[in-house]
Amino acid sequence: MTDRLAKFLSVGCGLLLAFGVGVIASEDDLGPNAPVAEAYHETKNLLRNWRNDLGFAPERVLVPADQPGRGRMTVHRPDGATPGYRLISGVSGDKDSRFGVYLFDEAGREIHFWPIRYNDFTPGEITERNVFQHGMQPLPDGSIVVTFDNGDAIARIGACGETLWVTPGRFHHAVDRAYDGTVWAWQGETPPEEDQDTTFLSEFMVQLDPEDGSILRRVDLLRDVIVRHGVFGRFALHAAPEPDRIAFQSDPFHPNDIEVLSPEMADAFPDFAAGDLLISLRSLNMIAVLDGEDYTVKWSQIGPWHRQHDPDFQPDGTISLFDNRMGLGASRILSVNPATGAVSTLYEGSDQDTFYTWQRGSHEILPNGHVVVTETEAGRAFEVDPNGNQIWTFENVFDANRNGLVNYATVLPTTYFEDQAFTRCGESIAATQTR
């Protein structure tokens, strides 16, 4: 405890000193302002989250509860419930792990839980206190694949919480399971010093083998897409400090999702083919479809969404997405037709029941037309029918006035998991599969 306090005070004093010197330098035009701004924001961050960083409370992953006192899982309309399991991941305030995944049945009963302990996956200076478990993908054998914002690993966890494999790297945001069983995720990487011809973190689309976590394919967003095909970069360039370098704005693309078009859905998209890649570039307010072989851009559109997440191919030939509308106070779920560019609103809440998450967030369109919404920054997830009626609501209760963040919610068919998926854990969900 003494060592942590000393480290905190040392870093804090250093940042405060850097900030003071920077302010004087900027006033008199004596030095660069970028380090000053960075020191200023780091100081604010430290002061706001000191309880988290010293291990007292997980402040970085808690938010005020909109409706304090509500139950964790509430089923509002049992007769209208979509058949299947509710799988929800995020902060686990009622368990002995910082993060976890809950499995509920249609009645709202918790029937399984996967603990997620980042410190089990990778040693080093990055600790569980400073990462956010973001991506989560279930597999039929009862295991899950997870990623961490600000972390250094992608991992597969068994049905009973055991670590099956870990692949090091700055894998972040969403994880997608393709039709061939492989998994896809984004990975950021700082280029080697001798190869730093850009001024930003390189980003890669990575395909992994779910059996052992080995990397099957790694597509460089800058070299394989932007430079090779001459796209996107014009929206994010700054003046380069040297003529042979490429200078981008800070976090110029912020990729946050990738999805593979399946053969079953490909016929609905005549301009695309099975294996094509749907990506989301938040900083550009852009979603795009890339050829799955040579990564040429087959289609892209900027807005009217703002800082979007989670675009999904839909069976009717449209693409749905989570429109965060950062800074506007109300999010919504949109649909865009890539053949025409036409955009429609699928769900945007109401005056009595709005939803908003300025960052993160996800959605799912169910076969019956219901929409599952993950409202990350409210610590909430819910399902609504086509008329906007709430079917169930999950409040990730941490204490009387705060929720833990929720990163992903989905409804799975009762036949999704293999019959023996959880028997090794001393549990059986077979009874719920027969309803």
Side-chain angles (χ1 to χ4, degrees):
M1 178 61 211
T2 303
D3 292 341
R4 284 192 293 172
L5 183 59
K7 181 179 179 181
F8 172 77
L9 291 175
S10 175
V11 173
C13 289
L15 290 172
L16 285 172
L17 178 62
F19 173 67
V21 172
V23 169
I24 296 172
S26 63
E27 287 291 330
D28 296 330
D29 198 23
L30 298 178
N33 291 331
V36 176
E38 183 176 351
Y40 170 70
H41 289 300
E42 284 299 320
T43 302
K44 285 180 62 179
N45 196 35
L46 267 176
L47 294 175
R48 183 172 59 247
N49 297 301
W50 67 271
R51 288 171 57 82
N52 178 95
D53 297 344
L54 290 178
F56 293 119
E59 302 284 350
R60 291 183 183 271
V61 291
L62 299 180
V63 291
D66 290 338
Q67 300 184 37
R70 289 190 67 171
R72 180 173 293 271
M73 172 62 84
T74 304
V75 179
H76 305 286
R77 295 172 178 263
D79 294 340
T82 303
Y85 302 123
R86 289 83 173 99
L87 189 74
I88 303 172
S89 67
V91 176
S92 53
D94 63 336
K95 307 291 184 180
D96 64 354
S97 60
R98 189 180 183 94
F99 305 103
V101 181
Y102 297 88
L103 187 68
F104 297 94
D105 65 12
E106 295 168 23
R109 295 180 296 244
E110 181 183 327
I111 55 177
H112 190 69
F113 177 78
W114 292 260
I116 300 174
R117 300 181 177 92
Y118 175 80
N119 290 342
D120 290 348
F121 303 142
T122 176
E125 295 184 0
I126 300 176
T127 70
E128 195 169 66
R129 294 194 300 270
N130 295 311
V131 303
F132 176 65
Q133 187 270 308
H134 193 161
M136 189 277 293
Q137 183 63 227
L139 302 181
D141 69 344
S143 64
I144 56 175
V145 179
V146 293
T147 58
F148 301 85
D149 292 352
N150 302 320
D152 195 30
I154 183 172
R156 183 179 175 187
I157 302 170
C160 310
E162 71 277 21
T163 301
L164 300 180
W165 54 253
V166 177
T167 299
R170 295 183 63 175
F171 293 92
H172 57 84
H173 286 93
V175 181
D176 181 65
R177 181 171 182 258
Y179 61 88
D180 59 1
T182 61
V183 295
W184 286 79
W186 283 99
Q187 179 191 11
E189 181 181 279
T190 302
E193 187 143 341
E194 64 273 11
D195 189 35
Q196 287 192 348
D197 58 352
T198 67
T199 58
F200 78 106
L201 186 74
S202 296
E203 296 283 2
F204 298 86
M205 293 170 273
V206 182
Q207 181 186 31
L208 301 101
D209 187 331
E211 295 304 315
D212 58 10
S214 59
I215 294 177
L216 304 174
R217 192 175 2 167
R218 199 162 178 260
V219 184
D220 188 325
L221 177 64
L222 175 63
R223 289 174 175 79
D224 295 332
V225 180
I226 295 170
V227 173
R228 180 181 176 187
H229 299 295
V231 295
F232 303 160
R234 65 186 182 276
F235 300 111
L237 287 172
H238 269 330
E242 301 170 15
D244 58 346
R245 298 190 71 198
I246 301 172
F248 288 98
Q249 301 171 17
S250 175
D251 193 14
F253 305 108
H254 197 102
N256 57 30
D257 197 18
I258 180 169
E259 179 175 326
V260 184
L261 181 60
S262 68
E264 294 77 18
M265 213 176 287
D267 286 345
F269 296 88
D271 295 329
F272 309 150
D276 285 353
L277 306 173
L278 171 62
I279 64 173
S280 170
L281 304 179
R282 193 194 75 168
S283 292
L284 300 185
N285 302 317
M286 176 188 287
I287 61 175
V289 175
L290 310 181
D291 186 284
E293 298 295 331
D294 64 10
Y295 316 118
T296 56
V297 179
K298 291 187 171 182
W299 171 85
S300 67
Q301 185 163 326
I302 295 177
W305 43 84
H306 182 62
R307 298 302 188 257
Q308 79 289 334
H309 285 73
D310 190 31
D312 293 334
F313 290 114
Q314 296 299 331
D316 64 355
T318 63
I319 295 171
S320 61
L321 59 101
F322 192 105
D323 181 12
N324 293 75
R325 304 181 80 210
M326 182 188 292
L328 299 178
S331 303
R332 58 187 178 175
I333 310 301
L334 299 181
S335 173
V336 58
N337 186 330
T340 65
V343 176
S344 59
T345 300
L346 299 179
Y347 178 69
E348 58 181 346
S350 64
D351 292 339
Q352 294 74 34
D353 191 14
T354 60
F355 75 98
Y356 175 61
T357 178
W358 66 276
Q359 64 175 349
R360 304 187 178 106
S362 66
H363 79 292
E364 181 179 29
I365 310 300
L366 301 178
N368 60 3
H370 290 202
V371 182
V372 178
V373 175
T374 305
E375 191 181 4
T376 300
E377 295 296 320
R380 184 170 77 128
F382 57 91
E383 178 186 338
V384 294
D385 67 18
N387 296 318
N389 300 311
Q390 290 205 357
I391 304 301
W392 55 262
T393 303
F394 174 81
E395 292 275 346
N396 197 15
V397 178
F398 182 82
D399 58 27
N401 297 301
R402 296 178 297 179
N403 284 351
L405 297 181
V406 177
N407 58 53
Y408 182 68
T410 183
V411 172
L412 297 174
T414 53
T415 55
Y416 182 83
F417 294 111
E418 297 169 0
D419 290 342
Q420 306 300 314
F422 301 100
T423 53
R424 291 185 298 104
C425 315
E427 301 175 3
S428 174
I429 58 173
T432 64
Q433 293 179 347
T434 60
R435 288 207 309 266

